Every structure is written in structure tokens, then in C-alpha cells.
Amino acid sequence: MDDLIALFTQQARAVSATVEPVADLAAAFDYAARLTTGQGGCLAAPGWGEGETESLAEACAGAGVELVTSGLRQEVGRFTVGLTRAQYGVAETGTLVLDSADEQVRLASMLSEAHVAVLPLAKVRQDMFALEEELAAILSASPGYMAFITGPSRTADIEMVLTLGAHGPRQLHVLLLEDAS
Amino acid sequence: MSRASRRQYHARLRSALDNRFLGQTLARFQNRYAQARQAAMQGVDFEALSREVVEVKDAALPRLEELYGQFKAAAQAAGAKVHLAADAEQARQIIADIAARAGVKSIVKSKSMTSEEIHLNAYLESQGLEVVETDLGEWIIQLRNEAPSHMVAPAIHLSCSEVAELFCGVTGQEQDPEDIASLVEVARQQLRRKMLSADMGISGANFAIAETGTLATVTNEGNARLVTTLPRVHVALLGLDKLVGDLDSALKILRILPRSAAGQLISSYVTWVTGAVECAAAPSGAKELHIVFLDNGRLALSQDPVFAEALRCVRCGSCANVCPIWGKVGGHTYGHVYIGAIGLVLTYFYHGVEAARELAKNCLNCQACKVNCPSGIDLPRLIKGVAGRLNQQEGAPLKNQLMRQVLTNRRLFHFLLRRAYLAQKPLAHGERLIRHLPSFFTGEHGFRSLPVVAASPLRDRWPSIAPPLAEPKLKVAFFGGCLNDFVYPEQGEALLELVRGKDIQLDFAAEQTCCGLPAAMASEEETAREVARQNIAALDAENHDHVLTLCASCASHLKHAYPRLLADDPAWRLRAEALAAKVIDCASFLQDVVGLAALPEGGPKAAYHAPCHLCRGLDVHRAPRHLLAEAGLEYLSYEDEEVCCGFGGSFSLDFPELSAAILARKLDQVEATGAEMLVTDCPGCVLQLEGGLDQRGSSIKVRHLAQALAEAQRRAKD
Ligand code: SF4
Ligand code: SF4
């Protein structure tokens, strides 16, 4: 397990993601709220349960951050940080698997300047093939939209020079959640 | 007709070669790619992964229609509409109709080579629609009204300052010509607006999974996710060849595609869309999703016994990245819509004879694309195959007809070679190289001096220099090959010097003739088959321990092409295989069979050129370098050691401007090492390298490996 997490962390950092351990969801919410303070003050966090949204709202209030959880098409350009929960992690490549059938999740993770994803430690696997059954289950949802996300958006289209933040988020923060209960 | 198109093509090549910035950009790109790829392949077994891709693709291709049916059922069940377009025109029409019915005015696109294939943008624009590419590179070339010059990096032929100038026009504001990050920012802002307001998104797809009706798209910028999410209508356009059976197949391709495309373990985003997902911008609350499959010759191609494997291509672009020709001229002259080696093949099938005619000849057969292709496509062979079909359709050039007559008749061929000695004599002024070619050959061809045909070929000298041994421990059939036999007999003599006293008998069968590679290069398969039979009979591999040749190209041809050429000939197939199994190259023979004593250091500084057909054709890398070091030479390495020298047999006569440019890059690097000697183990490479160095007035001596080692032994004895 520790090896898997170490590999995931190393690979995700190698593609310019920020990886931080968090003890519990409350810590993750604090992290997102704090990050948003420095980035314009509006956080998009769709797809969380009722109780979770409540404690996130508290964290946001404490940090002086506005929270939006739905209707994100109307909020484009206002929210700068998107907070989502990843279903799985792939250690070999430092990849997140994000079930994005919910359009709001897509908008939050694509149109933000920084994407913060919470990934439960227990959901990290060695490679795509070790996850095949789980992925097939997500795919069998019809209609469905699944995203593999590895590092922030990037381009090397001009003179082959790597530049981050082409069309998607400029930053990707992965919060490794120890206690997912 | 064909002469005019040839002239035009050469003019375009010339102007690409004269563009200094282009040359520098492409060279830098190729270097960076090579490093990134190497790093990304570390710890993975490329061959094993590539074999899996081949299996997946070869399982899918024969049943594309069935997979299409399966995909369609699953995708329609998930709310998509699935269309099949027989050709480009139908595909354009289907998409325009969708746009008209949905009241679409503005379209944003993410990258799709298939839409380039059918020239979709121009058509949609002619229908009054606004079409904006959102992939940065695609947007740049769209603004410049150009075609992509690379399948993965479409604007790689442009400099940062050219892009800055272009963006000045778009924004009406000054742009820093050196600040790439701020140029990316301009694109981000401009295109974000377009994506938010567009009515329709058009994307391509890397895989279509039949089982679930899922489309997968691999991108780094993230524009494909936005294009498939924001607008209310989504049209995905893809070739039927993108169909695979299930998720497992897609994952197997995904494991190697980004590694091969950009030296990445995986791209930033892989997006898997199944059906009409939620979309707040659509009146129904669900996306209007249309999936348009393009046939355009693919189904027919998938049933072709020779060319079907071209459909295995996963569009990684690597066959351009490693190609010495693309590296000199870029994709606008080395491809039509599809670029690089695979472009040379697909252009004929997707865009026709006119577009393919000159392209299909423009290949060195250096094998670099083949060994790097994650889909295991034998690209150089398919390129020759296309050229052969063009010859059939349009009539073969005169040189092919001559070749058929001369090459199959050994006596005539050798008679002509002997006569060549007399014809060349007045030009050589008593030297071994002809510096000034007769006027009909000057101009583009003057980049290298040419060797003269020897006064007496190796075959005539053989009886006196290699008398039969009473009780040899090994019997080796020696295959000279035309250059070694008639131009460079001294290389064969050097070899005999190295094996003297080792109890090894070398037989030179007088009935042997040209190996047939030039015929295969000219797409004259029948001629190639005929000389193959003659050589198999002459060499009598069954009664020898090895078949040795000093020519890497001959060795690779005897070993790989003979069994393939004669696969359908029951009388010869087994003999071809028996011969193939015994073929050995000079370096491996000297190292593994003969065993040479180590010599003290202090020999000349030597650089090495790895012949394509040795390092890639026979996978021999270490032996020649090791032998040089063991013989006391000071081996100096340089970056492009395993890159082609630009010879390619008749290629250097058909494309002298390219041959010269590729040679120059190599020789610049060799000269920079400070070497006194350049060693290689193929007489064709010797011809090219020696001729080029001579024209430069360089003092670097070129030696065949056998000569370099024989000289080292002589030096050690003195
Ligand atoms: S032919 Fe092979 S190397 Fe070329 S783009 Fe296709 S998969 Fe890549
Ligand atoms: S064989 Fe060599 S020259 Fe021909 S397409 Fe492949 S890489 Fe290019």
C-alpha cells in the first residue's frame, strides 16, 4: 500500500500535480477553502452529499469564500477553484479517474483555474489493468462520461515548449484522503 | 504529366530545404522526441506492448462491419445517433445536415485527423458556418490557412515569433515574440469564449469501443473535454478503423500511444463518452450526440492481404518523428493530409494517385519508422508496395524495364559492370574517386564524389587469395554483393586477411549475382524473386555453416526478404529459410565466430556509422563498436550514429537534394568528434560517406570495418 501511494505521488508530481495527504474530509475542505481565498474567492463543488456540502460550506464561510454547487454554466468566470471527488487513482501514471456523468462535475473540473480532487488512499491501484473491472462498471453506465486526468492541462504546440494551462486548469491538487469514512 | 509533377515536387522539396528555420525546428523536435521517447520507454518492454496492439488491431480489422453494428446498437441505446459515411462527400453532407437541422451557426472543433482527411472545415464554411479549431496548433494553422505539418504537433513548422505575429493580428495587440506562455494565454482566452458560445462541437476519437458504444479521446490541452461538454450538439467524426472490441483492447493501445506520440506515460486527459450525456445548454437537457463513422476506402483496405496492416495505425506520429526525410523537409512536403511514413501509404488509398505519385517514391528504406511503430506496421515495405501499384497503374519508369532485363541475366549484368570500368576511366584521372561528374550528372548530384569500378572484381581475385583448405573447421559461403565485388574488392581482401590461419574456408560461388534489393526498392518484386532463386542456388547454404556478407543491406535482404518473397513458392521457400537462418554480418562473424585477439591502444580516433540494415535490419549494435575498441582504436561517439546516411541505393539518384542534406547532418556531427577515421560496415554507406567527405575536402578516411580491423592488425605487427 505505501509503495503504491509513494509511486502515485511521485508520478503525479512528475507531471506537475500537487499531491498532499489529508487526514479527513474536513481537512480537505479546509485546504480547498484556503486555496480559493488566494484565487478569487469562489469555489465550485458539485456532486457532494448533503452532509459533506454542509461542512464544506462551514469551511468556506470561515475562510470568507463563496461556495457554488450547481448551475455552474451561469457561474463561469466567477469560480476559480473546482473541488471534486475522484473514484480511483492509478499509481503507474499518477492518474485520477473521475466519473463525470454529472455535467456540473465536468464544468467544475474543466473551467476552474485550479482543480482540487480528493482521492481516498484505498482507491489507488497499480495500473489501469488492475482497475479494469471498476472502469468497466463506470463505462456500463449509459449514458456516461468518464475522465482520466493526469496533471494540469498542458500544450507543447509552439516550438515543443511545454506550457501548463492550455484550456483546462492550470493547477491540479490531489488530496490523498486517509480516512474516507 | 508525371514529369511535371516530379519537377513541382522537387521544387517544393528544395524550398523546404532552403528554409533554415524549418530545418532547425525539425532537428530540435526530433532530438527532443528521441530523448523523451527513450525516457518513457524505460522499464517497459516496447516489443511486448507493441505485439499486444498488433493483436488487438488484427482481431478488430477483419470484422469492422460487425463491430460497427455492435457499436451502433450500444451507442443508440445510450441516446446517440450513429451514421456511416461511405466517402468524404457523404460525411461532409451528413455533418452539414446535422448543423442545418439543429440551427447551428457556430462550431468549435477539437483535433481530428479524419476531419482533415475530408477537408471538413472548408465545406462547413462554404455553408455559412463559423468553424474554429481549438487545439492550439490546429488553431494556429487554421489562422494561417495551412494544413498540419505533423499529425500530433500540427504547427511544429512555425516559430514562436511567427505565432506572435499571427496573434497580433487576432488581438490587435502587440505580442512578445519570445514569450510562449503569454501566447498560450491568448489562445486560452480567445478560444474559451468561442467554446462557451458555440452551438456545436466537433471532435475526433482515438477509440470506439463496440461493446459499450463508448468513444475515447486522448488530449493534453483539455479542449476535447470542453468541445464535447459545452455546446448543445456534439458530432464525433472518426474512421471505421478506430473500432475495437472492448475496454481491455482500448487500454492496451492507450498504454503505448502517448509514450510513442510524445514520450508521455499518459496524456493529461483521456475522455470516455457513452451516449447523450447531461447538457444544460440543450433544450432537452441531454446532449444531441451524432457519431459519424467514415469508410472512405477503409473496409476495402481491411480486406487487402498486403495493405490491411496500414489500418493498425494509431496515429502516434512517431513514424514522422524518426524519419530522416521528414526531419529535413517537414510534413507539408512529406505527406498529404496524413504525414510521415504512414502518410506515404494512406495518401494513395484515401486521396488517390495524383496526391500519392511523387510521395510514394520518397523513402530511403532506412527502417527507422518500422522499428519505432507501436502498431508493428512494416511501413517501408508498404511504401514500396504503393510505389509498385503506381507503376502498374501508370507504367513503370524506363529504369525498371532495364532492371528487369539486366538484373535477371547475371552474365549480361556482370558484363556491363566490367564495361563500366572502361567507361569511367577517363573521368577518374587515375584516382579511386570521380570528383567531377559529366555534365548530365552535375548540379544536385555533385554533393559526393563517386567511386570507380575496380579494374578486377573480387570474384576474379578470389581463387588466388582464398585457395581451398584441406580440412577447414568451418565452411562459409561468401556473398559479395555488387559493390563489394565490383567496386570495393579491397574490403573482401581485408576480410580474408582477418580470417587467415583460422581454419575457415570462404567460398565465393561464381554464379551469385546482385542480391535483388535494388529491384525490391524499385518495387520490381518479380525481378527480386528471380535473383533470389539464383542466389539461393549459387550459395548452397545447406552445405555451409554460415552465409557471410560484408554488405549489411545484402545481409538484411537475404535474411528477411528472401523468405517473404518466396513464401508462396513451395519449391524455394524452405531453401530461402535455410539460407536466411545462416546469414551473418561481418561484425558478428568476426566477434562471435572468428574471435580476434585484442590489440594495444593507440590506434586512430574513429567514429562509427551504423548502417540502417545492420542496426535495425539485423538488430546488431554492440559488435562493431566493441571490435573497434578491442582493436585499439579510439572510438568516438556522436548523437546520430544510427541515423541513415542518406544513401538508400537509387534514392540518392532520385532525390539528390535530400540525400545531400541528410548526409550533411551526419558528416557535420562526425567532423565535430575530431575523428581521423569513419568506420562503417556496408559498402553502400562507404560510397555515400566517402564521396561526401571527399567533396568537403575532409581528411577523414572512410573504412569498412574489415579494413579498419585489418589495418589495426598490420599496425600492431609493425
Ligand atoms: S504508422 Fe505506426 S508510427 Fe506511424 S503514426 Fe501510425 S502507429 Fe504511429
Ligand atoms: S524507411 Fe526511413 S525514410 Fe522511409 S519513411 Fe521510414 S523512416 Fe522515412
Side-chain angles (χ1 to χ4, degrees), chain B residues 292-353:
Chain B
V292 183
F293 280 94
L294 177 68
D295 180 354
N296 204 22
R298 286 166 173 81
L299 284 177
L301 190 54
S302 72
Q303 304 301 322
D304 187 298
V306 177
F307 291 99
E309 72 177 71
L311 289 176
R312 286 187 202 144
C313 173
V314 297
R315 307 275 186 270
C316 73
S318 159
C319 54
N321 302 353
V322 298
C323 173
I325 300 174
W326 181 87
K328 279 290 163 195
V329 296
H332 289 152
T333 32
Y334 205 55
H336 183 63
V337 168
Y338 294 104
I339 286 151
I342 191 66
L344 270 56
V345 180
L346 292 181
T347 299
Y348 172 75
F349 291 100
Y350 296 166
H351 295 108
V353 172

Side-chain angles (χ1 to χ4, degrees), chain B residues 319-320 322-326 334 340-342 344 362-370 379-380 383 644 651 662:
Chain B
C319 54
V322 298
C323 173
I325 300 174
W326 181 87
Y334 205 55
I342 191 66
L344 270 56
N362 194 358
C363 168
L364 283 155
N365 191 29
C366 77
Q367 314 272 318
C369 51
K370 176 181 167 182
L379 291 152
I383 293 168
C644 182
F651 175 89
I662 292 167

Side-chain angles (χ1 to χ4, degrees), chain A residues 131-141 146, chain B residues 211-212 247 251:
Chain A
L131 261 179
E132 216 171 311
E133 268 176 42
E134 291 87 341
L135 296 177
I138 301 180
L139 273 198
S140 68
M146 173 170 79
Chain B
E211 198 174 78
T212 51
L247 172 67
L251 291 179

Side-chain angles (χ1 to χ4, degrees), chain B residues 424-439 441-443 445-452 690-700:
Chain B
Q424 284 182 335
K425 238 174 141 180
L427 301 170
H429 308 292
E431 295 190 50
R432 285 301 325 266
L433 289 170
I434 301 173
R435 303 230 150 83
H436 304 289
L437 295 162
S439 55
F441 239 16
T442 42
H445 295 270
F447 69 91
R448 67 173 180 216
S449 313
L450 284 176
V452 294
E690 187 175 59
L693 284 169
D694 187 67
Q695 281 295 327
R696 289 182 169 215
S698 163
S699 62
I700 299 174

